[in-house]
Amino acid sequence: MISDNSPKKVCDQSFNRLLGETSGAFADLGTFLPLVLGLIALNQFSAQGIFLGFGLFAILSALFYRRPIPVQPMKVIAALVIAQGLSPGMLQASAMLMGIILLILAFSGAITWLAKQLSQAVSVGIQLAIGLQLMWMGAKMMSEFWLLGFGAFGLLFISKFLPLRYLAMPLVIAAGMIWQASTQTGLISNNLDIQAMTTPFQLTWPTAVEWTSAALLLVLPQLALTLTNAVIAISAMAQEKFPEDAAKLTPKNFAITSGLANLLLAPFGASAMCHGAGGLTVQYHFGARTYLAPLIFGSSCLIIALCWGSNIAWLLSLIPMAILGSLLTIAGLQLAWSKRLIDGRPFCILVILSTAITCLAINAAAGLAVGIILEQARRRTMLAMR
C-alpha cells in the first residue's frame, strides 16, 4: 500500500496545485481579454504598452502580496474609451490621474473615510450603464455574423453553469480563429491597420485638453467603482480568504500598488489598471492560492509584449468580429449585473436606475453627480426623521 506521504501522492498534489494556480491565472480572461482586445483591435492602441503594463503590474503584485491578487483593466475607463473611440492620450491621462489620486488618498489616510461617502448603489448604477454600453457595442459587432456571434455568446453564457467553464472562452476563440482561417471572410483586419498595430510604443504625454477631458469624463466615474471594488471590497475579501496575511491586504496597500502602477506605467502605453474583488473571486474559485497565479499571468503578458509583431497581430486579426463582440457582450453583462437590482430596497433601486439613466443620457460624470445627490438627500431625510 502506498503511504500518505509517498512520492506519488506528493507529486499528484503538486501537479493539482500547479493546475489550480494555472487555471486561476487565466480565469478572469472573460473581463480582461475583450477589453484589451477592444483597445488594441478597435482603437489601435499600443499592444506592447498594454501587455507590458499588465505583465509588470501582475508580477510586482505577486511578489508583494504573495497571494493571487488579480490585475484588471479599469472597467469604466476602458469601456468608455472603447465605446466612444477616445484617444490614447485620454486613456494615458486618466490612468496617471487615477494613480495620483489613489496615492494621495492612501498616504493621507483619507481612503477609508472617503469610501464611506460613496454608496454602493451609485457604483452599481455606473456599472449598469457602462455594462449596457458595452453590450450594445458587442451586439453591433455580432451583427457582422449573427449566427456566429450569438452562437458564441450562447456557449459562453451556458458554460457558466458547467464544471469546465474556464475552458469555454479559449475554445470559442480557437474555434473562431480556425473557422476564420478556413473561410477568410469577415476578418477584423478588414477594418484594421495591421501596420499600426505593430508600431512600437513610445514615451508620450497627454495634451492639456486630454488631461481636462479625462478628469471629467473618465476619472470621476471610475473613482467610485475603484474605491468600492478595487480597494475596499477586495481588501475585505482577501483578508477573509487569507487571514494570516491580513496586515498586508489592507485598503491602503491596494490603493498604493494600483496608484504606483498607473502613475509609472501609463507613460509607456499601459492601460488604466487596478485590482478587483471579482477577479479574486473567480481566480480563487478555480484553484489559485499563492503568488504563482499572478506570476504566470504576468509572465504571459510580458512574453506577448516582447514578442509582439506582425505574426501576433495577424493571429489577432483572425478573431472574427462576431466572436470579439460576443466576448464584449459577456463582459458587459458581467459588469451590468448586480443582485441589488432585484433584492435592493426601493430607494436603492431608484438611485441605481437614476444614476444609470443619467450616465446613458448625458455622461458618466453626470450620473455620478446625480447618484451622490440622491444619496445625500436620503441621508439627510433619515437624520431628520430621528
Side-chain angles (χ1 to χ4, degrees):
M1 179 178 294
I2 299 175
S3 66
D4 289 342
N5 295 322
S6 66
K8 183 179 184 302
K9 184 166 185 177
V10 172
C11 182
D12 289 342
Q13 291 176 340
S14 299
F15 176 78
N16 289 335
R17 283 196 295 267
L18 180 59
L19 181 60
E21 298 291 343
T22 304
S23 299
F26 301 106
D28 197 31
L29 287 182
T31 300
F32 173 84
L33 190 60
L35 292 176
V36 169
L37 289 183
L39 290 172
I40 297 170
L42 302 179
N43 295 60
Q44 297 184 357
F45 284 16
S46 167
Q48 290 175 299
I50 290 176
F51 280 106
L52 178 67
F54 281 109
L56 292 176
F57 188 21
I59 290 174
L60 292 176
S61 295
L63 297 178
F64 178 74
Y65 292 109
R66 311 295 294 182
R67 291 296 182 182
I69 302 302
V71 298
Q72 304 173 330
M74 287 190 177
K75 298 179 183 66
V76 174
I77 290 177
L80 285 175
V81 168
I82 293 171
Q84 300 181 18
L86 302 180
S87 67
M90 287 274 286
L91 179 64
Q92 183 183 41
S94 65
M96 287 190 284
L97 286 171
M98 283 297 301
I100 294 171
I101 292 171
L102 288 173
L103 290 174
I104 291 175
L105 292 175
F107 288 112
S108 68
I111 189 74
T112 302
W113 177 88
L114 184 57
K116 293 179 180 179
Q117 310 306 309
L118 297 173
S119 165
Q120 186 69 22
V122 178
S123 179
V124 171
I126 294 173
Q127 290 183 70
L128 174 60
I130 302 304
L132 290 174
Q133 284 186 315
L134 208 58
M135 291 171 66
W136 174 249
M137 184 177 182
K140 290 193 294 183
M141 294 165 61
M142 287 192 292
S143 68
E144 296 286 329
F145 197 128
W146 287 110
L147 182 61
L148 180 64
F150 279 95
F153 175 81
L155 289 174
L156 291 170
F157 184 81
I158 294 173
S159 70
K160 179 180 179 181
F161 307 99
L162 301 177
L164 298 178
R165 53 189 175 272
Y166 59 95
L167 295 177
M169 187 181 58
L171 289 176
V172 166
I173 294 175
M177 293 176 71
I178 293 172
W179 174 86
Q180 190 67 79
S182 64
T183 60
Q184 291 296 312
T185 58
L187 288 174
I188 288 178
S189 55
N190 287 342
N191 301 312
L192 183 65
D193 183 359
I194 296 295
Q195 184 62 37
M197 292 180 59
T198 58
T199 302
F201 66 88
Q202 298 177 349
L203 184 65
T204 59
W205 199 255
T207 65
V209 174
E210 288 173 331
W211 281 107
T212 304
S213 299
L216 295 176
L217 298 179
L218 301 178
V219 173
L220 285 178
Q222 177 66 58
L223 186 60
L225 181 59
T226 296
L227 291 178
T228 54
N229 179 62
V231 175
I232 304 300
I234 191 175
S235 174
M237 184 177 297
Q239 290 179 3
E240 178 183 353
K241 296 183 182 301
F242 309 110
E244 64 275 20
D245 297 329
K248 182 177 288 187
L249 302 170
T250 63
K252 179 179 179 179
N253 281 341
F254 284 119
I256 290 174
T257 52
S258 294
L260 287 175
N262 283 286
L263 185 60
L264 298 178
L265 297 175
F268 296 93
S271 173
M273 303 175 292
C274 63
H275 304 294
L280 176 59
T281 300
V282 70
Q283 289 189 15
Y284 189 90
H285 174 76
F286 286 116
R289 297 293 185 273
T290 71
Y291 69 96
L292 282 178
L295 191 63
I296 292 170
F297 175 77
S299 299
S300 301
C301 288
L302 282 185
I303 291 173
I304 292 175
L306 295 176
C307 298
W308 186 265
S310 58
N311 289 335
I312 297 181
W314 176 79
L315 286 176
L316 177 61
S317 75
L318 287 179
I319 303 176
M321 181 73 76
I323 295 291
L324 184 57
S326 70
L327 295 177
L328 282 171
T329 305
I330 288 291
L333 182 62
Q334 292 175 342
L335 185 61
W337 173 248
S338 171
K339 289 184 178 180
R340 285 178 175 263
L341 293 172
I342 57 175
D343 62 10
R345 296 180 179 179
F347 191 87
C348 176
I349 295 176
L350 173 64
V351 173
I352 293 172
L353 295 180
S354 299
T355 301
I357 292 172
T358 307
C359 286
L360 294 172
I362 305 176
N363 57 46
L368 175 63
V370 168
I372 291 177
I373 291 172
L374 288 174
E375 276 296 320
Q376 291 298 323
R378 179 187 67 84
R379 293 176 182 178
R380 291 176 182 176
T381 301
M382 292 181 62
L383 289 175
M385 293 175 61
R386 292 179 179 177

